[in-house]
Amino acid sequence: MDWYPLINSVRIAAISCVIVFFTGIFAAYYAARLPRVLKGFLDVLLTLPLVLPPTVCGYFLLMLFGLRRPFGMFLAQYGIKFVMTWYGGILAAVLTAFPLMYRTARGAFESFDETLAYAGQTLGLSDTFIFWRIRMPACRQGILAGAVLAFARALGEYGATSMLIGYTPGKTATISTTVYQLWRTNNDALAFKWVMVNVAISALVLTTVNMLEKQDRKAAAK
């Protein structure tokens, strides 16, 4: 059994999770401070990939990074190609996983007691110190849950990934695209094994999220 799809899926999910962790946190933090109308518009824009079909997200990525598109041709001049490359899967995973991180982090920040930040300001603490040493620790359970969900979403991404990087054994294959290709070629036994691998990882992710939520409830009850 070739384990490349698992290795490739995990590295794509891990890299994309790091990216959406920081971008999602800062987008949620600054969006929460915007006026209501602008906040609503930005919220719709940033959450849109969550409700769009993944194939539509993949279509937009192809329109931007396709080798026959202006931006894609520009990048290709410098040897950067996201189409039919494993690292192109990172773009697909980031696009589809970002809304989960953003919305979870936004909810965590909105539940934060702002009087703690005001108290820090009266003591002369900088906004950076307050963010990292007061706000983030207070919201850590929700943020960690968002990161775990984003990782799981990136790990199981199929639609946008298949459109942008396709399926090439040993190069771009992921768990999801491998399952489809094995089913397509009537290799149900091996496809079932990969399905079980995906189910096991997903169950582990959900267990982690439940544990984080339980800790969050215990902390809130104190």
Side-chain angles (χ1 to χ4, degrees):
M1 185 172 177
D2 181 15
W3 292 103
Y4 179 84
L6 175 61
I7 297 171
N8 194 36
S9 295
V10 170
R11 69 175 172 180
I12 288 174
I15 296 172
S16 61
C17 186
V18 172
I19 295 172
V20 301
F21 179 80
F22 290 103
T23 55
I25 284 174
F26 286 106
Y29 174 69
Y30 287 108
R33 302 161 70 92
L34 292 174
R36 180 176 298 179
V37 176
L38 187 58
K39 175 183 175 181
F41 172 78
L42 186 63
D43 188 62
V44 170
L45 182 64
L46 295 178
T47 311
L48 198 58
L50 185 64
V51 295
L52 285 175
T55 49
V56 174
C57 295
Y59 174 82
F60 283 129
L61 289 174
L62 283 175
M63 291 299 100
L64 182 60
F65 295 103
L67 298 179
R68 295 184 179 181
R69 299 295 170 178
F71 188 57
M73 293 172 63
F74 172 78
L75 292 177
Q77 294 177 356
Y78 299 94
I80 303 174
K81 299 179 181 179
F82 291 105
V83 178
M84 299 303 295
T85 59
W86 75 266
Y87 49 85
I90 297 173
L91 290 178
V94 166
L95 183 62
T96 55
F98 174 84
L100 284 172
M101 185 68 219
Y102 164 73
R103 290 192 69 88
T104 308
R106 193 197 68 181
F109 288 142
E110 288 177 348
S111 63
F112 175 73
D113 186 359
E114 290 294 336
T115 57
L116 296 176
Y118 298 147
Q121 291 173 351
T122 60
L123 294 174
L125 301 178
S126 66
D127 290 339
T128 303
F129 183 92
I130 292 172
F131 180 82
W132 289 110
R133 301 299 296 273
I134 299 177
R135 191 180 301 271
M136 284 292 288
C139 302
R140 66 181 181 279
Q141 300 298 340
I143 290 173
L144 287 175
V148 173
L149 287 173
F151 177 82
R153 179 66 184 85
L155 188 68
E157 213 298 303
Y158 172 76
T161 300
S162 62
M163 291 193 67
L164 187 64
I165 69 174
Y167 172 79
T168 305
K171 292 185 178 180
T172 66
T174 63
I175 294 176
S176 299
T177 56
T178 298
V179 169
Y180 175 74
Q181 290 298 326
L182 291 172
W183 169 81
R184 211 171 136 266
T185 56
N186 295 319
N187 193 344
D188 291 337
L190 191 54
F192 182 76
K193 291 181 181 178
W194 279 115
V195 167
M196 289 297 99
V197 170
N198 213 342
V199 168
I201 296 174
S202 299
L204 179 62
V205 167
L206 289 175
T207 301
T208 303
V209 171
N210 289 336
M211 291 175 62
L212 290 172
E213 290 179 346
K214 186 179 295 185
Q215 291 178 7
D216 196 24
R217 288 194 294 269
K218 287 182 180 179
K222 292 182 179 179

